[in-house]
Amino acid sequence: MLTHGVGPMRRYAIGALLLDLHRPERVIAELPGALLAPDEAERDGYVPNVVYSCGGLVHAGELWLPYGASDARVGFATAPVTALIAAMAEPAPPIGG
């Protein structure tokens, strides 16, 4: 599952989670950092310092991710699905749990 979140300095980035197929409310693993974050060329625009996507698709073992950057341009990113899953880690336990 692709996620979208904000970090320090209002930097909006795209992340990824791996959910249980039969219990999708259960997070199996998560990417510890951003999958995609704005680079120098993508920081200026109508809404600065933002990358966002409405989804991606998997084709031939690659994640294809169309994304918008700062409401000023559009890009595509790709990543091997096996490398993406290998980079994931178990989620941290919930606070208080």
Side-chain angles (χ1 to χ4, degrees), residues 55-78:
L57 63 97
V58 174
H59 175 71
E62 293 273 323
L63 171 65
W64 286 74
L65 184 64
Y67 67 94
S70 298
D71 284 345
R73 57 192 67 72
V74 175
F76 275 90
T78 62

Side-chain angles (χ1 to χ4, degrees), residues 29-41:
E30 61 189 3
L31 203 57
L35 173 62
L36 185 66
D39 65 18
E40 289 295 325

Side-chain angles (χ1 to χ4, degrees), residues 2-78:
L2 298 174
T3 63
H4 180 242
V6 64
M9 304 301 293
R10 291 183 34 99
R11 180 176 162 257
Y12 285 77
I14 298 169
L17 302 172
L18 186 60
L19 304 179
D20 185 298
L21 181 62
H22 301 289
R23 293 184 50 216
E25 74 279 4
R26 183 174 167 259
V27 177
I28 296 172
E30 61 189 3
L31 203 57
L35 173 62
L36 185 66
D39 65 18
E40 289 295 325
E42 298 167 330
R43 289 198 177 134
D44 294 323
Y46 182 72
V47 179
N49 215 22
V50 173
V51 292
Y52 56 92
S53 180
C54 292
L57 63 97
V58 174
H59 175 71
E62 293 273 323
L63 171 65
W64 286 74
L65 184 64
Y67 67 94
S70 298
D71 284 345
R73 57 192 67 72
V74 175
F76 275 90
T78 62

